[in-house]
């Protein structure tokens, strides 16, 4: 039961800030998905980094990650996910509740997603820190207020991108840090396996976003 609980916690946050860790340790590699962990100063919970390459454009991947309503289809153990404020096509706030097995309490959070693209390198970054006090607490649900992570999406060629995802989160409540660390790789692995399947669906296949420049992508691939 705790194994399911802890793997669930590792994957529901697409959140903020660059990590400075240099001591990443490869924990698992499967089907091109590489999962690393690293110690973090002043924290008993380790940071996670996931790397992989997928056949997709940057617009396709951003469209999927910003499609909050589809989260329950591929983000492991998501009970509900909904946008609570759409600031612009590239910025939003959303609420999600993570469904955990009894007797553990569900977790929930609010994240602030922002998308930016480097005009020269075309690298896309999605930040989304957890935002406290934006929605009322729910009885029986533990609120996650501290989470830092980042998606970096780099063009590799025609219809191919490299993804680097970093995460450090405090799951809150009374879960021991050593248990969170023990199963930290399992949740992200499941999410990325699901992501590879989800992004092939028709909703994202021909995605073209006005704030993402995929043209350079194709030009670079032709040389």
């Amino acid at each position: 039961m705790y194994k399911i609980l802890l793997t669930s916690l590792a994957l529901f946050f697409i959140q903020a800030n660059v990590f400075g860790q240099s001591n990443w340790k490869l924990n698992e590699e499967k089907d091109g998905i590489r999962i690393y962990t690293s110690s973090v100063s002043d924290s008993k919970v380790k940071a996670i980094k996931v790397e992989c390459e997928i056949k997709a454009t940057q617009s396709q991947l951003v469209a999927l990650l910003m499609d909050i309503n589809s989260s329950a289809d591929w983000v492991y153990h998501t009970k509900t996910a909904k946008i609570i404020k759409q600031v612009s096509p590239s910025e939003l706030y959303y609420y999600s509740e993570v469904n955990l097995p009894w007797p553990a309490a569900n977790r929930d959070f609010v994240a602030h997603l922002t998308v930016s693209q480097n005009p020269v390198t075309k690298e896309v970054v999605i930040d989304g820190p957890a935002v406290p006090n934006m929605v009322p607490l729910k009885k029986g649900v533990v609120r996650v207020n501290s989470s830092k992570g980042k998606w970096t999406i780099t063009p590799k060629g025609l219809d191919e991108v490299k993804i680097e995802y970093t995460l450090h989160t405090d799951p809150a409540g009374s879960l021991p840090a050593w248990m969170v660390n023990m199963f930290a790789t399992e949740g992200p692995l499941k999410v990325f396996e699901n992501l590879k399947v989800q992004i092939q669906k028709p909703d994202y296949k021909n995605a073209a976003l006005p704030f993402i420049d995929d043209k350079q992508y194709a030009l670079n691939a032709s040389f």
Side-chain angles (χ1 to χ4, degrees), residues 24 28 46 73 83 85 109 124-126 133 148 164 175 180 182 196 201 210 220:
W24 292 109
E28 187 166 354
K46 291 183 178 180
D73 295 337
I83 295 173
K85 183 178 181 181
F109 64 92
V124 172
V125 171
I126 302 179
N133 305 319
K148 299 178 181 179
E164 180 180 285
L175 298 176
V180 176
M182 182 179 295
K196 287 184 175 183
K201 292 186 176 181
N220 286 340

Side-chain angles (χ1 to χ4, degrees), residues 21 24 38 65 81 85 93 96 169 183 187 195 201 205 211:
Q21 286 79 4
W24 292 109
S38 174
L65 296 176
K85 183 178 181 181
Y93 294 81
S96 184
T169 186
F183 300 110
L195 182 151
K201 292 186 176 181
K205 197 68 176 176
F211 54 92

Side-chain angles (χ1 to χ4, degrees), residues 90-174:
S90 61
E91 180 182 3
L92 59 83
Y93 294 81
Y94 78 96
Y95 168 87
S96 184
E97 181 178 341
V98 180
N99 191 22
L100 300 182
W102 183 91
N106 285 1
R107 263 59 177 175
D108 68 358
F109 64 92
V110 174
H112 178 199
L113 296 189
T114 57
V115 183
S116 61
Q117 184 176 38
N118 186 303
V120 177
T121 66
K122 306 305 177 183
E123 181 180 87
V124 172
V125 171
I126 302 179
D127 283 330
V131 180
N133 305 319
M134 194 165 181
V135 299
L137 297 175
K138 291 178 66 175
K139 185 177 180 180
V141 178
V142 176
R143 175 64 48 83
V144 173
N145 287 318
S146 178
S147 186
K148 299 178 181 179
K150 183 175 79 168
W151 294 79
T152 302
I153 307 164
T154 306
K156 297 294 291 183
L158 186 62
D159 294 341
E160 185 176 3
V161 295
K162 177 183 177 181
I163 304 170
E164 180 180 285
Y165 173 56
T166 50
L167 170 71
H168 182 243
T169 186
D170 179 357
S174 59

Side-chain angles (χ1 to χ4, degrees), residues 50-69:
V50 185
E51 294 180 341
C52 74
E53 292 78 40
I54 66 171
K55 299 295 291 183
T57 66
Q58 290 170 294
S59 284
Q60 283 177 273
L61 188 54
V62 173
L64 171 58
L65 296 176
M66 298 295 279
D67 183 10
I68 304 304
N69 292 333

